[in-house]
Amino acid sequence: MLVVLVVLAVLLLGGAGAYWVLGRDDATSTAATASSSAPAAEPTGAASEPADAATTAPAPASSTDPRFVKAGQCVANEGGSAQPKLVITECGAKTYQVLRRIDGSTSGKKDAESKCAKVDGYTDWYFFDSQLDTLDFVLCLKRP
């Protein structure tokens, strides 16, 4: 009986440790990128700043993490074009409106672009690709 309890304890601790490691918002363990829908030799990317220079205030949400964004909300890029860092914010200058969120496995840039090609009015896209496919998503974005 003691052996069974020890094995269960080890499995629970191992599972909790794996959840903690995989659940962290660690930019080095996940890949995310964004790109413009316009064909070009080098995509301009959703990570580039829109032309307007006004600042935006964060939305009064419990989290600004883009993993929780819904269609109709807006995001702003606080990172660069090489490593975009989207945050949920109020719509305004230098923001992108989420036209559609597509949850599920994504294989990268081409997959995100093909999924957003079916969304009317999108100008940019963003994808989040993690080690757990159930956490993956694509955002089809529009500059307001």
Side-chain angles (χ1 to χ4, degrees):
M1 183 68 133
L2 182 62
V3 172
V4 171
L5 289 175
V6 169
V7 169
L8 283 175
V10 169
L11 288 175
L12 286 173
L13 290 175
Y19 177 77
W20 181 77
V21 169
L22 295 175
R24 292 188 310 171
D25 186 19
D26 187 0
T28 59
S29 67
T30 61
T33 188
S35 179
S36 173
S37 63
E42 292 291 322
T44 57
S48 63
E49 295 293 332
D52 297 349
T55 60
T56 59
S62 60
S63 175
T64 60
D65 193 313
R67 291 181 290 176
F68 305 111
V69 72
K70 297 175 185 167
Q73 291 182 303
C74 289
V75 292
N77 181 24
E78 293 185 348
S81 60
Q83 288 188 333
K85 182 179 189 248
L86 297 186
V87 294
I88 300 172
T89 188
E90 292 180 14
C91 295
K94 295 188 178 185
T95 65
Y96 300 89
Q97 181 183 12
V98 178
L99 296 178
R100 185 166 179 206
R101 177 190 173 102
I102 304 167
D103 291 312
S105 177
T106 183
S107 59
K109 294 178 184 181
K110 288 184 181 184
D111 181 50
E113 189 172 29
S114 69
K115 287 179 179 176
C116 286
K118 301 171 188 170
V119 177
D120 289 335
Y122 95 99
T123 58
D124 300 280
W125 51 262
Y126 171 89
F127 76 91
F128 180 82
D129 187 17
S130 71
Q131 293 175 347
L132 297 174
D133 286 343
T134 57
L135 299 178
D136 293 358
F137 63 89
V138 173
L139 300 178
C140 302
L141 308 170
K142 176 183 174 185
R143 291 184 186 180

